[in-house]
Amino acid sequence: MTYGLLSGPEPDPARDAGHENPPPRVGFFTDTSVCIGCKACEVACKEWNAIPEDGMKLTGMSYDNTEALGASSWRHVAFIEQSVASAVPVPEGRTELPLAGEVTAPRAGGGTGAAPGSGDMRWLMSSDVCKHCTHAACLDVCPTGSLFRTEFGTVVVQEDICNGCGYCVPACPYGVIEQRPSDGRAFKCTMCYDRLGVGQEPACAKACPTESIQFGPLDELRERAALRVGRLHEAGVTEARLYGHEPDDGVGGDGAFFLLLDRPEVYGLPPDPVVTTRDLPAMWRHAATAALCLAGGFALSFALPALTGKKGRR
């Protein structure tokens, strides 16, 4: 597989994985500007996939009780407390909601939403999930084939084949995949592969009451996301940006991308993720060259004395 910037058409990961005539690639678009932190996605994910509970403790830093993605948390709603900047318009057709759970207050001229500098706070809320990368390092390093690319372009772990080696854990540039302490096997979001196979959307998207989590063909989601960002910018929310949507980034584009209202680091996301196995082909070439040179040196060290000895006897 070739990594880096694209020089031709966008790759089709399902077709590259050997699927003939695959359906359109699907994914998630998470619009964090309308996330209310209800955690319905977390609950729906656990219920549908029979994921065990992973503790009910609070972090002491926010109302978040799952802390991060892991083997038993395939969806994680982040709560980030900030000073309020400006109100964000709600997409057409939706009930008006405060920005990401912000504390609302009367404003001059009517309406709600905290005024800049008023001392009010807001929560930036975002439902994080496996990114289902175009270039997935977890796939590259899995020795058993437990991780595989589906016909929908998603990445799935087959738990009955996983041998618990853990190679996939450090390979993920997002820190998504994790081994379950009880048996050592790796688990992560499957984008509800069993539901996709029968024409249903993933449980988390189905349960989201504000349509913060949107599911569908990836190309359509990217167009929808670009329109949403444009509308936010027109409304003066210049900090709105997309994350993981570019097909020429360090992972070839994500199958799950986000509209953020601040820098990726604020949400605990790497600003410039790169597939960790990108340099493996070059490293293997260098290793092979070094091995050949070493073998040649050993051979020469044995050959030279023999040749020198023959000349001396003459």
Side-chain angles (χ1 to χ4, degrees):
M1 185 177 290
T2 302
Y3 300 118
L5 296 179
L6 298 175
S7 57
E10 184 179 344
D12 184 339
R15 194 178 297 275
D16 293 342
H19 295 284
E20 296 183 3
N21 301 317
R25 185 181 181 186
V26 297
F28 288 127
F29 163 47
T30 301
D31 182 351
T32 69
S33 69
V34 294
C35 177
I36 59 174
C38 67
K39 289 182 174 281
C41 55
E42 288 191 15
V43 175
C45 177
K46 279 186 173 291
E47 286 187 343
W48 180 262
N49 294 289
I51 303 172
E53 64 89 16
D54 50 351
M56 296 300 294
K57 61 184 182 300
L58 292 174
T59 64
M61 301 299 292
S62 77
Y63 294 111
D64 180 10
N65 67 320
T66 46
E67 300 185 44
L69 292 173
S72 297
S73 293
W74 298 359
R75 272 279 178 185
H76 167 240
V77 179
F79 288 68
I80 300 105
E81 187 178 4
Q82 284 190 333
S83 296
V84 169
S86 59
V88 173
V90 176
E92 295 180 5
R94 300 184 192 172
T95 303
E96 186 166 354
L97 298 164
L99 164 60
E102 77 184 21
V103 179
T104 58
R107 289 192 302 181
T112 60
S118 66
D120 291 318
M121 306 299 293
R122 73 173 180 181
W123 291 101
L124 293 181
M125 298 175 182
S126 174
S127 181
D128 198 11
V129 71
C130 171
K131 313 308 181 292
H132 295 272
C133 309
T134 299
H135 301 318
C138 57
L139 282 175
D140 293 338
V141 301
C142 181
T144 65
S146 171
L147 282 143
F148 74 101
R149 180 81 65 178
T150 75
E151 66 271 28
F152 302 103
T154 59
V155 179
V156 172
V157 183
Q158 299 175 97
E159 57 188 70
D160 57 332
I161 298 178
C162 178
N163 66 355
C165 68
Y167 294 163
C168 55
V169 176
C172 176
Y174 297 101
V176 166
I177 197 164
E178 183 186 46
Q179 292 173 273
R180 193 168 287 167
S182 59
D183 62 11
R185 292 179 298 170
F187 294 85
K188 72 170 192 67
C189 163
T190 66
M191 206 177 285
C192 288
Y193 182 45
D194 52 344
R195 292 175 65 91
L196 300 188
V198 294
Q200 296 181 336
E201 64 181 324
C204 56
K206 183 74 173 177
C208 181
T210 64
E211 297 182 19
S212 172
I213 301 172
Q214 301 176 41
F215 169 80
L218 201 55
D219 291 340
E220 294 180 13
L221 292 177
R222 287 172 177 167
E223 293 178 5
R224 192 183 308 168
L227 291 174
R228 174 64 174 155
V229 170
R231 182 165 175 257
L232 290 177
H233 287 177
E234 290 173 1
V237 189
T238 56
E239 64 271 26
R241 70 200 74 188
L242 294 178
Y243 176 84
H245 68 298
E246 292 287 354
D248 59 354
D249 65 11
V251 295
D254 292 325
F257 66 100
F258 303 79
L259 186 156
L260 305 179
L261 298 175
D262 208 325
R263 294 170 293 111
E265 302 95 305
V266 173
Y267 295 84
L269 297 168
D272 297 301
V274 175
V275 59
T276 53
T277 53
R278 177 190 61 181
D279 298 323
L280 276 181
M283 292 169 62
W284 282 116
R285 286 196 297 271
H286 291 317
T289 301
L292 287 173
C293 291
L294 187 61
F298 275 117
L300 192 60
S301 66
F302 285 105
L304 279 178
L307 293 173
T308 304
K310 290 180 180 179
K311 290 181 179 179
R313 287 195 296 273
R314 289 178 182 176

mmCIF file of all heavy atoms in Angstrom, residues 255-287:
data_model
loop_
_atom_site.group_PDB
_atom_site.id
_atom_site.type_symbol
_atom_site.label_atom_id
_atom_site.label_comp_id
_atom_site.label_asym_id
_atom_site.label_seq_id
_atom_site.Cartn_x
_atom_site.Cartn_y
_atom_site.Cartn_z
ATOM 1 N N GLY A 255 -13.016 7.600 7.794
ATOM 2 C CA GLY A 255 -14.393 7.191 7.549
ATOM 3 C C GLY A 255 -15.342 7.764 8.576
ATOM 4 O O GLY A 255 -16.553 7.648 8.431
ATOM 5 N N ALA A 256 -14.801 8.389 9.618
ATOM 6 C CA ALA A 256 -15.597 9.095 10.628
ATOM 7 C C ALA A 256 -14.916 10.433 10.854
ATOM 8 O O ALA A 256 -13.799 10.488 11.369
ATOM 9 C CB ALA A 256 -15.658 8.295 11.927
ATOM 10 N N PHE A 257 -15.554 11.502 10.418
ATOM 11 C CA PHE A 257 -14.938 12.830 10.554
ATOM 12 C C PHE A 257 -15.867 13.761 11.313
ATOM 13 O O PHE A 257 -17.024 13.426 11.595
ATOM 14 C CB PHE A 257 -14.565 13.394 9.179
ATOM 15 C CG PHE A 257 -15.725 13.699 8.273
ATOM 16 C CD1 PHE A 257 -16.190 14.994 8.127
ATOM 17 C CD2 PHE A 257 -16.356 12.689 7.541
ATOM 18 C CE1 PHE A 257 -17.264 15.289 7.302
ATOM 19 C CE2 PHE A 257 -17.423 12.977 6.704
ATOM 20 C CZ PHE A 257 -17.878 14.273 6.583
ATOM 21 N N PHE A 258 -15.361 14.951 11.672
ATOM 22 C CA PHE A 258 -16.026 15.788 12.660
ATOM 23 C C PHE A 258 -16.057 17.259 12.243
ATOM 24 O O PHE A 258 -15.149 17.740 11.566
ATOM 25 C CB PHE A 258 -15.288 15.696 14.002
ATOM 26 C CG PHE A 258 -15.174 14.300 14.543
ATOM 27 C CD1 PHE A 258 -14.223 13.418 14.049
ATOM 28 C CD2 PHE A 258 -16.018 13.847 15.537
ATOM 29 C CE1 PHE A 258 -14.113 12.130 14.535
ATOM 30 C CE2 PHE A 258 -15.922 12.564 16.042
ATOM 31 C CZ PHE A 258 -14.975 11.699 15.532
ATOM 32 N N LEU A 259 -17.090 17.952 12.685
ATOM 33 C CA LEU A 259 -17.113 19.405 12.671
ATOM 34 C C LEU A 259 -16.796 19.845 14.089
ATOM 35 O O LEU A 259 -17.522 19.512 15.033
ATOM 36 C CB LEU A 259 -18.484 19.937 12.245
ATOM 37 C CG LEU A 259 -18.616 21.451 12.039
ATOM 38 C CD1 LEU A 259 -19.761 21.772 11.087
ATOM 39 C CD2 LEU A 259 -18.804 22.210 13.351
ATOM 40 N N LEU A 260 -15.689 20.576 14.243
ATOM 41 C CA LEU A 260 -15.236 21.016 15.549
ATOM 42 C C LEU A 260 -15.401 22.525 15.690
ATOM 43 O O LEU A 260 -15.390 23.258 14.693
ATOM 44 C CB LEU A 260 -13.764 20.639 15.762
ATOM 45 C CG LEU A 260 -13.393 19.155 15.593
ATOM 46 C CD1 LEU A 260 -11.897 18.969 15.804
ATOM 47 C CD2 LEU A 260 -14.189 18.272 16.546
ATOM 48 N N LEU A 261 -15.512 22.969 16.931
ATOM 49 C CA LEU A 261 -15.623 24.391 17.222
ATOM 50 C C LEU A 261 -14.377 24.940 17.887
ATOM 51 O O LEU A 261 -14.369 26.060 18.399
ATOM 52 C CB LEU A 261 -16.844 24.654 18.118
ATOM 53 C CG LEU A 261 -18.193 24.287 17.495
ATOM 54 C CD1 LEU A 261 -19.314 24.475 18.507
ATOM 55 C CD2 LEU A 261 -18.455 25.116 16.248
ATOM 56 N N ASP A 262 -13.318 24.170 17.870
ATOM 57 C CA ASP A 262 -12.029 24.610 18.402
ATOM 58 C C ASP A 262 -10.963 23.710 17.799
ATOM 59 O O ASP A 262 -11.267 22.809 17.005
ATOM 60 C CB ASP A 262 -12.023 24.534 19.932
ATOM 61 C CG ASP A 262 -11.068 25.555 20.557
ATOM 62 O OD1 ASP A 262 -9.996 25.810 19.951
ATOM 63 O OD2 ASP A 262 -11.381 26.085 21.633
ATOM 64 N N ARG A 263 -9.724 23.912 18.209
ATOM 65 C CA ARG A 263 -8.617 23.116 17.683
ATOM 66 C C ARG A 263 -8.783 21.637 18.062
ATOM 67 O O ARG A 263 -9.341 21.333 19.123
ATOM 68 C CB ARG A 263 -7.290 23.648 18.229
ATOM 69 C CG ARG A 263 -6.932 25.034 17.754
ATOM 70 C CD ARG A 263 -5.747 25.611 18.501
ATOM 71 N NE ARG A 263 -6.057 25.861 19.898
ATOM 72 C CZ ARG A 263 -5.546 25.180 20.910
ATOM 73 N NH1 ARG A 263 -4.697 24.177 20.688
ATOM 74 N NH2 ARG A 263 -5.880 25.471 22.154
ATOM 75 N N PRO A 264 -8.299 20.731 17.230
ATOM 76 C CA PRO A 264 -8.450 19.300 17.535
ATOM 77 C C PRO A 264 -7.879 18.908 18.897
ATOM 78 O O PRO A 264 -8.447 18.062 19.588
ATOM 79 C CB PRO A 264 -7.672 18.611 16.400
ATOM 80 C CG PRO A 264 -7.683 19.597 15.281
ATOM 81 C CD PRO A 264 -7.657 20.949 15.919
ATOM 82 N N GLU A 265 -6.781 19.555 19.288
ATOM 83 C CA GLU A 265 -6.154 19.202 20.555
ATOM 84 C C GLU A 265 -7.094 19.435 21.737
ATOM 85 O O GLU A 265 -6.995 18.750 22.757
ATOM 86 C CB GLU A 265 -4.873 20.024 20.779
ATOM 87 C CG GLU A 265 -3.832 19.871 19.676
ATOM 88 C CD GLU A 265 -3.934 20.957 18.618
ATOM 89 O OE1 GLU A 265 -5.037 21.122 18.054
ATOM 90 O OE2 GLU A 265 -2.924 21.634 18.365
ATOM 91 N N VAL A 266 -7.986 20.419 21.623
ATOM 92 C CA VAL A 266 -8.932 20.704 22.699
ATOM 93 C C VAL A 266 -9.837 19.497 22.942
ATOM 94 O O VAL A 266 -10.246 19.220 24.073
ATOM 95 C CB VAL A 266 -9.763 21.955 22.354
ATOM 96 C CG1 VAL A 266 -10.878 22.172 23.369
ATOM 97 C CG2 VAL A 266 -8.865 23.188 22.287
ATOM 98 N N TYR A 267 -10.137 18.756 21.888
ATOM 99 C CA TYR A 267 -11.002 17.580 21.973
ATOM 100 C C TYR A 267 -10.210 16.296 22.217
ATOM 101 O O TYR A 267 -10.771 15.207 22.199
ATOM 102 C CB TYR A 267 -11.800 17.417 20.683
ATOM 103 C CG TYR A 267 -12.790 18.518 20.406
ATOM 104 C CD1 TYR A 267 -12.394 19.692 19.783
ATOM 105 C CD2 TYR A 267 -14.137 18.388 20.741
ATOM 106 C CE1 TYR A 267 -13.304 20.712 19.504
ATOM 107 C CE2 TYR A 267 -15.049 19.393 20.478
ATOM 108 C CZ TYR A 267 -14.624 20.553 19.860
ATOM 109 O OH TYR A 267 -15.522 21.558 19.600
ATOM 110 N N GLY A 268 -8.894 16.429 22.394
ATOM 111 C CA GLY A 268 -8.064 15.247 22.602
ATOM 112 C C GLY A 268 -7.736 14.510 21.324
ATOM 113 O O GLY A 268 -7.407 13.316 21.358
ATOM 114 N N LEU A 269 -7.812 15.207 20.174
ATOM 115 C CA LEU A 269 -7.519 14.605 18.877
ATOM 116 C C LEU A 269 -6.161 15.078 18.382
ATOM 117 O O LEU A 269 -5.820 16.252 18.552
ATOM 118 C CB LEU A 269 -8.601 14.976 17.858
ATOM 119 C CG LEU A 269 -10.014 14.483 18.158
ATOM 120 C CD1 LEU A 269 -11.027 15.159 17.245
ATOM 121 C CD2 LEU A 269 -10.090 12.965 18.004
ATOM 122 N N PRO A 270 -5.366 14.221 17.752
ATOM 123 C CA PRO A 270 -4.073 14.657 17.211
ATOM 124 C C PRO A 270 -4.277 15.637 16.063
ATOM 125 O O PRO A 270 -5.120 15.404 15.202
ATOM 126 C CB PRO A 270 -3.428 13.348 16.737
ATOM 127 C CG PRO A 270 -4.576 12.432 16.483
ATOM 128 C CD PRO A 270 -5.632 12.795 17.495
ATOM 129 N N PRO A 271 -3.528 16.744 16.029
ATOM 130 C CA PRO A 271 -3.743 17.745 14.981
ATOM 131 C C PRO A 271 -3.365 17.266 13.584
ATOM 132 O O PRO A 271 -4.002 17.645 12.602
ATOM 133 C CB PRO A 271 -2.857 18.908 15.420
ATOM 134 C CG PRO A 271 -1.826 18.297 16.313
ATOM 135 C CD PRO A 271 -2.503 17.150 16.997
ATOM 136 N N ASP A 272 -2.347 16.425 13.489
ATOM 137 C CA ASP A 272 -1.885 15.933 12.185
ATOM 138 C C ASP A 272 -1.621 14.433 12.269
ATOM 139 O O ASP A 272 -0.462 13.998 12.281
ATOM 140 C CB ASP A 272 -0.608 16.667 11.736
ATOM 141 C CG ASP A 272 -0.840 18.151 11.535
ATOM 142 O OD1 ASP A 272 -1.699 18.498 10.702
ATOM 143 O OD2 ASP A 272 -0.176 18.960 12.209
ATOM 144 N N PRO A 273 -2.655 13.615 12.321
ATOM 145 C CA PRO A 273 -2.444 12.165 12.444
ATOM 146 C C PRO A 273 -1.778 11.586 11.197
ATOM 147 O O PRO A 273 -2.056 12.008 10.078
ATOM 148 C CB PRO A 273 -3.867 11.620 12.603
ATOM 149 C CG PRO A 273 -4.739 12.642 11.935
ATOM 150 C CD PRO A 273 -4.086 13.963 12.209
ATOM 151 N N VAL A 274 -0.891 10.648 11.422
ATOM 152 C CA VAL A 274 -0.181 9.977 10.332
ATOM 153 C C VAL A 274 -0.240 8.483 10.577
ATOM 154 O O VAL A 274 -0.025 8.030 11.712
ATOM 155 C CB VAL A 274 1.292 10.439 10.246
ATOM 156 C CG1 VAL A 274 2.045 9.644 9.184
ATOM 157 C CG2 VAL A 274 1.377 11.928 9.934
ATOM 158 N N VAL A 275 -0.536 7.715 9.546
ATOM 159 C CA VAL A 275 -0.580 6.266 9.700
ATOM 160 C C VAL A 275 0.799 5.792 10.151
ATOM 161 O O VAL A 275 1.821 6.118 9.548
ATOM 162 C CB VAL A 275 -1.011 5.581 8.381
ATOM 163 C CG1 VAL A 275 -0.079 5.906 7.239
ATOM 164 C CG2 VAL A 275 -1.125 4.081 8.570
ATOM 165 N N THR A 276 0.832 5.057 11.250
ATOM 166 C CA THR A 276 2.104 4.723 11.883
ATOM 167 C C THR A 276 2.940 3.736 11.078
ATOM 168 O O THR A 276 4.132 3.581 11.342
ATOM 169 C CB THR A 276 1.853 4.148 13.282
ATOM 170 O OG1 THR A 276 0.912 3.070 13.191
ATOM 171 C CG2 THR A 276 1.292 5.210 14.204
ATOM 172 N N THR A 277 2.335 3.061 10.115
ATOM 173 C CA THR A 277 3.084 2.099 9.292
ATOM 174 C C THR A 277 3.503 2.706 7.951
ATOM 175 O O THR A 277 3.930 1.991 7.055
ATOM 176 C CB THR A 277 2.226 0.853 9.029
ATOM 177 O OG1 THR A 277 0.959 1.261 8.491
ATOM 178 C CG2 THR A 277 2.004 0.064 10.302
ATOM 179 N N ARG A 278 3.382 4.026 7.840
ATOM 180 C CA ARG A 278 3.702 4.690 6.575
ATOM 181 C C ARG A 278 5.129 4.401 6.107
ATOM 182 O O ARG A 278 5.385 4.206 4.923
ATOM 183 C CB ARG A 278 3.532 6.206 6.733
ATOM 184 C CG ARG A 278 3.911 7.028 5.515
ATOM 185 C CD ARG A 278 3.937 8.507 5.833
ATOM 186 N NE ARG A 278 4.927 8.793 6.876
ATOM 187 C CZ ARG A 278 5.147 10.010 7.357
ATOM 188 N NH1 ARG A 278 4.420 11.034 6.928
ATOM 189 N NH2 ARG A 278 6.070 10.200 8.285
ATOM 190 N N ASP A 279 6.074 4.373 7.036
ATOM 191 C CA ASP A 279 7.480 4.230 6.685
ATOM 192 C C ASP A 279 7.958 2.780 6.678
ATOM 193 O O ASP A 279 9.145 2.526 6.489
ATOM 194 C CB ASP A 279 8.351 5.042 7.652
ATOM 195 C CG ASP A 279 8.039 6.537 7.582
ATOM 196 O OD1 ASP A 279 7.764 7.019 6.465
ATOM 197 O OD2 ASP A 279 8.062 7.202 8.631
ATOM 198 N N LEU A 280 7.041 1.825 6.914
ATOM 199 C CA LEU A 280 7.465 0.420 6.962
ATOM 200 C C LEU A 280 8.127 -0.070 5.675
ATOM 201 O O LEU A 280 9.163 -0.738 5.739
ATOM 202 C CB LEU A 280 6.271 -0.480 7.315
ATOM 203 C CG LEU A 280 5.943 -0.632 8.802
ATOM 204 C CD1 LEU A 280 4.753 -1.567 8.981
ATOM 205 C CD2 LEU A 280 7.142 -1.151 9.578
ATOM 206 N N PRO A 281 7.567 0.229 4.470
ATOM 207 C CA PRO A 281 8.230 -0.246 3.252
ATOM 208 C C PRO A 281 9.669 0.240 3.137
ATOM 209 O O PRO A 281 10.579 -0.543 2.809
ATOM 210 C CB PRO A 281 7.351 0.328 2.129
ATOM 211 C CG PRO A 281 6.010 0.468 2.749
ATOM 212 C CD PRO A 281 6.278 0.880 4.160
ATOM 213 N N ALA A 282 9.896 1.527 3.430
ATOM 214 C CA ALA A 282 11.255 2.062 3.359
ATOM 215 C C ALA A 282 12.142 1.426 4.420
ATOM 216 O O ALA A 282 13.322 1.127 4.173
ATOM 217 C CB ALA A 282 11.232 3.581 3.524
ATOM 218 N N MET A 283 11.581 1.200 5.610
ATOM 219 C CA MET A 283 12.374 0.585 6.676
ATOM 220 C C MET A 283 12.790 -0.835 6.309
ATOM 221 O O MET A 283 13.932 -1.242 6.564
ATOM 222 C CB MET A 283 11.559 0.577 7.969
ATOM 223 C CG MET A 283 11.314 1.955 8.564
ATOM 224 S SD MET A 283 10.101 1.950 9.897
ATOM 225 C CE MET A 283 10.904 0.892 11.092
ATOM 226 N N TRP A 284 11.855 -1.593 5.697
ATOM 227 C CA TRP A 284 12.201 -2.952 5.279
ATOM 228 C C TRP A 284 13.254 -2.938 4.180
ATOM 229 O O TRP A 284 14.155 -3.795 4.160
ATOM 230 C CB TRP A 284 10.958 -3.702 4.806
ATOM 231 C CG TRP A 284 10.096 -4.206 5.923
ATOM 232 C CD1 TRP A 284 8.824 -3.843 6.217
ATOM 233 C CD2 TRP A 284 10.467 -5.184 6.912
ATOM 234 N NE1 TRP A 284 8.367 -4.511 7.317
ATOM 235 C CE2 TRP A 284 9.345 -5.346 7.770
ATOM 236 C CE3 TRP A 284 11.619 -5.922 7.156
ATOM 237 C CZ2 TRP A 284 9.366 -6.226 8.850
ATOM 238 C CZ3 TRP A 284 11.636 -6.808 8.242
ATOM 239 C CH2 TRP A 284 10.511 -6.944 9.068
ATOM 240 N N ARG A 285 13.164 -1.958 3.274
ATOM 241 C CA ARG A 285 14.188 -1.856 2.224
ATOM 242 C C ARG A 285 15.555 -1.556 2.825
ATOM 243 O O ARG A 285 16.563 -2.154 2.438
ATOM 244 C CB ARG A 285 13.798 -0.776 1.219
ATOM 245 C CG ARG A 285 12.667 -1.172 0.276
ATOM 246 C CD ARG A 285 12.600 -0.226 -0.918
ATOM 247 N NE ARG A 285 12.293 1.128 -0.501
ATOM 248 C CZ ARG A 285 11.058 1.610 -0.382
ATOM 249 N NH1 ARG A 285 10.025 0.817 -0.622
ATOM 250 N NH2 ARG A 285 10.855 2.860 -0.028
ATOM 251 N N HIS A 286 15.590 -0.644 3.778
ATOM 252 C CA HIS A 286 16.858 -0.312 4.436
ATOM 253 C C HIS A 286 17.398 -1.510 5.202
ATOM 254 O O HIS A 286 18.616 -1.781 5.195
ATOM 255 C CB HIS A 286 16.668 0.876 5.381
ATOM 256 C CG HIS A 286 16.397 2.176 4.689
ATOM 257 N ND1 HIS A 286 17.089 2.589 3.567
ATOM 258 C CD2 HIS A 286 15.506 3.168 4.965
ATOM 259 C CE1 HIS A 286 16.646 3.773 3.176
ATOM 260 N NE2 HIS A 286 15.674 4.136 4.003
ATOM 261 N N ALA A 287 16.488 -2.236 5.878
ATOM 262 C CA ALA A 287 16.922 -3.411 6.629
ATOM 263 C C ALA A 287 17.474 -4.483 5.703
ATOM 264 O O ALA A 287 18.493 -5.128 6.011
ATOM 265 C CB ALA A 287 15.748 -3.965 7.444
#
